[in-house]
């Protein structure tokens, strides 16, 4: 699938910039880190124009998917992700909350659908999926969400091929497993699982025919080159992940990253825009950190090609803008969400 370069406005660009536009229109998997750095550093107006040009062609109509999130198993996770309030290595750990049962989870999914969500995402604070009753319950939740006519997404750490196959049989639409940051910066953030293990998990998800939700976080103390490197790995996946969540760090007290400087909203805009250019047909999800972006920051992210938001008062454990606030945001943008009912 490629876009037609001829259809893109290149008039008035220097030769070099026009060349970049032509490249953007190809559906490539071989972006170099240096090329992506050039994009990330473009004058903002040029970057927005290019991202919009791609977005309008690849996803006509500027529609947005509303996805609701629910934490089914909260806290007590063995991994040591430095950003995460659910790691047992961090004093922020929220262990002790009971795991949710199938019926209340489906009740929440139904309520999310009624509020307008098209996708329902469920999280387990696990290093890897465990066999037994919790996994059987997860399968029931997945099939129950699908029966409601919603897309179902699970994020629960690493998994085996047979587990991926059972999730596929239950009707799972997508599995979320993020790369989080660049291979180079990764060791500063997580020591209990390798980048390679993450990539292998992604391959297992793919092998079962489940679509991939895979993205990262900015604001972890990474460099611009790290951001470009993360995007190069994501765009290097074949096919591109169907969904690419872009998170800004929510600095939670009790995590090693609690004192990180907040991300400049325009950095999020740039990240979204470049993700859109590199992966024209993926859903670019404006994820954690939306509250700190403000209304205009979020609108710029939508303009830059974000075509999904997490919808509902909470993400997994941290706050998200309220439903009414989001409805007002979309109305201000004149953006229409996809219908709640999907086939
Ligand atoms: N345990 C599973 C895993 O790591 O794949 C699933 C849950 S985990 C919370 C899902 C993703 O949320 C992480 O990969 C990370 O990208 C994002 N995340 C977690 N805490 C965050 C924070 N404080 N700020 C921004 N993103 C965060
Ligand atoms: C993703 O990339 N971001 C979402 C979803 N995938 C699972 C999770 C964000 C979590 C933010 C911190 C929290 O609420 O605990
Ligand atoms: Fe948090 Fe997931 Fe890392 Fe566990 S694996 S600490 S839940 S981000």
């Amino acid at each position: 699938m490629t876009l037609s370069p001829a259809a893109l406005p290149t008039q008035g660009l220097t030769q070099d910039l026009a060349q970049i536009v032509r490249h953007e229109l190809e559906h490539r998997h071989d972006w170099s880190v240096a090329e992506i750095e050039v994009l990330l550093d473009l004058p903002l107006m040029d970057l927005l124009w290019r991202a919009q040009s791609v977005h309008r062609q690849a996803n006509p109509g500027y529609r947005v998917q509303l996805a609701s999130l629910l934490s089914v198993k909260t806290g007590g996770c063995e991994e040591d992700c430095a950003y995460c309030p659910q790691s047992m290595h961090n004093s922020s750990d929220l262990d002790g909350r009971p795991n949710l049962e199938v019926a209340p989870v489906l009740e929440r999914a139904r309520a999310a659908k009624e509020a307008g969500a098209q996708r329902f995402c469920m999280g387990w604070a696990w290093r890897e999926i465990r066999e037994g009753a919790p996994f059987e319950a997860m399968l029931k939740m997945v099939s129950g969400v699908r029966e409601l006519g919603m897309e179902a997404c699970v994020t629960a750490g690493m998994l085996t091929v047979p587990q991926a196959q059972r999730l596929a049989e239950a009707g799972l639409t997508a599995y979320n497993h993020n790369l989080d940051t660049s291979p180079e910066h990764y060791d500063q953030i997580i020591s209990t699982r390798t980048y390679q293990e993450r990539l292998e998990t992604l391959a297992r998800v793919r092998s079962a025919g489940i679509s991939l939700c895979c993205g990262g976080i900015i604001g972890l103390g990474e460099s611009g080159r790290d951001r470009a490197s993360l995007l190069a790995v994501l765009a290097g996946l074949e096919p591109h992940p169907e969904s690419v969540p872009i998170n800004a760090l929510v600095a939670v007290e009790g995590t090693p990253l609690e004192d990180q400087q907040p991300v400049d909203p325009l950095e999020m805009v740039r990240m979204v825009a470049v993700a859109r250019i590199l992966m024209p047909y993926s859903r670019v999800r404006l994820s954690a950190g939306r509250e700190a972006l403000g209304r205009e920051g979020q609108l710029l992210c939508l303009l830059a090609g974000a075509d999904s938001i997490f919808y509902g008062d909470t993400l997994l454990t941290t706050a998200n803008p309220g439903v009414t606030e989001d409805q007002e945001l979309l109305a201000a943008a004149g953006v229409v969400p996809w219908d709640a009912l999907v086939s």
Side-chain angles (χ1 to χ4, degrees):
M1 234 187 325
T2 51
L3 291 166
S4 152
L8 250 203
T10 53
Q11 215 179 1
L13 294 181
T14 64
Q15 190 57 38
D16 285 349
L17 294 184
Q19 198 60 37
I20 287 171
V21 171
R22 274 183 213 108
H23 281 304
E24 282 162 15
L25 297 175
E26 295 158 18
H27 195 169
R28 288 174 52 192
H29 298 276
D30 62 349
W31 288 91
S32 71
V33 174
E35 277 178 299
I36 299 173
E37 275 187 292
V38 169
L39 289 172
L40 280 170
D41 290 340
L42 278 175
L44 188 62
M45 298 303 134
D46 291 328
L47 177 58
L48 278 173
W49 183 27
R50 284 161 185 67
Q52 263 192 287
S53 306
V54 172
H55 193 41
R56 281 180 175 276
Q57 288 191 58
N59 312 302
Y62 252 90
R63 298 186 73 183
V64 161
Q65 183 181 57
L66 304 180
S68 287
L69 256 180
L70 179 65
S71 181
V72 177
K73 193 272 175 194
T74 307
C77 182
E78 301 95 327
E79 302 279 6
D80 67 353
C81 309
Y83 50 77
C84 186
Q86 303 196 67
S87 165
M88 61 193 285
H89 302 267
N90 300 338
S91 65
S92 54
D93 186 16
L94 299 151
D95 198 13
R97 291 194 194 170
N99 295 357
L100 299 183
E101 309 276 347
V102 177
V105 168
L106 294 181
E107 203 38 59
R108 293 285 292 271
R110 198 169 292 116
K113 181 184 162 184
E114 272 162 26
Q118 188 187 40
R119 182 160 166 131
F120 195 68
C121 310
M122 298 164 278
W124 280 256
W126 278 341
R127 173 174 161 74
E128 69 247 303
I129 291 186
R130 295 169 195 175
E131 287 294 327
F135 183 48
E136 299 306 316
M138 179 190 290
L139 295 169
K140 286 195 185 111
M141 292 170 196
V142 168
S143 54
V145 169
R146 297 294 286 140
E147 278 162 23
L148 288 171
M150 303 177 87
E151 293 182 3
C153 180
V154 161
T155 182
M158 296 184 280
L159 43 53
T160 62
V161 170
Q163 285 167 342
Q165 283 164 347
R166 288 198 68 198
L167 282 165
E169 282 157 21
L172 187 69
T173 313
Y175 195 83
N176 166 250
H177 197 65
N178 289 341
L179 289 170
D180 284 344
T181 190
S182 67
E184 297 78 20
H185 190 61
Y186 187 83
D187 292 354
Q188 306 288 310
I189 304 299
I190 299 143
S191 76
T192 48
R193 121 177 105 191
T194 64
Y195 214 77
Q196 186 55 32
E197 282 174 311
R198 294 210 182 225
L199 292 169
E200 286 164 12
T201 299
L202 299 175
R204 288 189 198 110
V205 172
R206 275 260 180 261
S207 75
I210 299 169
S211 82
L212 265 193
C213 174
C214 182
I217 314 177
I218 64 169
L220 305 177
E222 74 285 347
S223 64
R225 190 169 176 82
D226 286 316
R227 290 180 190 172
S229 172
L230 164 67
L231 287 166
V233 180
L234 291 170
L237 296 172
E238 286 196 53
H240 292 150
E242 285 75 9
S243 157
V244 180
I246 306 288
N247 297 273
L249 175 72
V250 179
V252 179
E253 205 181 322
T255 64
L257 297 177
E258 65 183 2
D259 292 327
Q260 277 296 316
Q261 286 301 306
V263 167
D264 177 342
L266 295 184
E267 296 292 303
M268 272 301 263
V269 175
R270 287 182 178 279
M271 208 55 195
V272 166
V274 177
R276 170 53 65 216
I277 292 166
L278 303 184
M279 295 170 277
Y281 302 100
S282 301
R283 240 182 235 304
V284 176
R285 248 172 242 287
L286 192 51
S287 303
R290 244 179 354 103
E291 278 205 310
L293 285 179
R295 186 174 79 145
E296 286 73 18
Q298 294 181 72
L299 286 173
L300 279 176
C301 287
L302 294 175
L303 194 69
D307 63 351
S308 172
I309 57 171
F310 282 117
Y311 180 63
D313 301 356
T314 40
L315 291 163
L316 290 172
T317 66
T318 63
N320 197 41
V323 161
T324 313
E325 209 178 314
D326 278 343
Q327 285 168 351
E328 285 168 7
L329 174 81
L330 297 180
V335 164
V336 182
W338 291 104
D339 293 334
L341 275 179
V342 287
S343 53

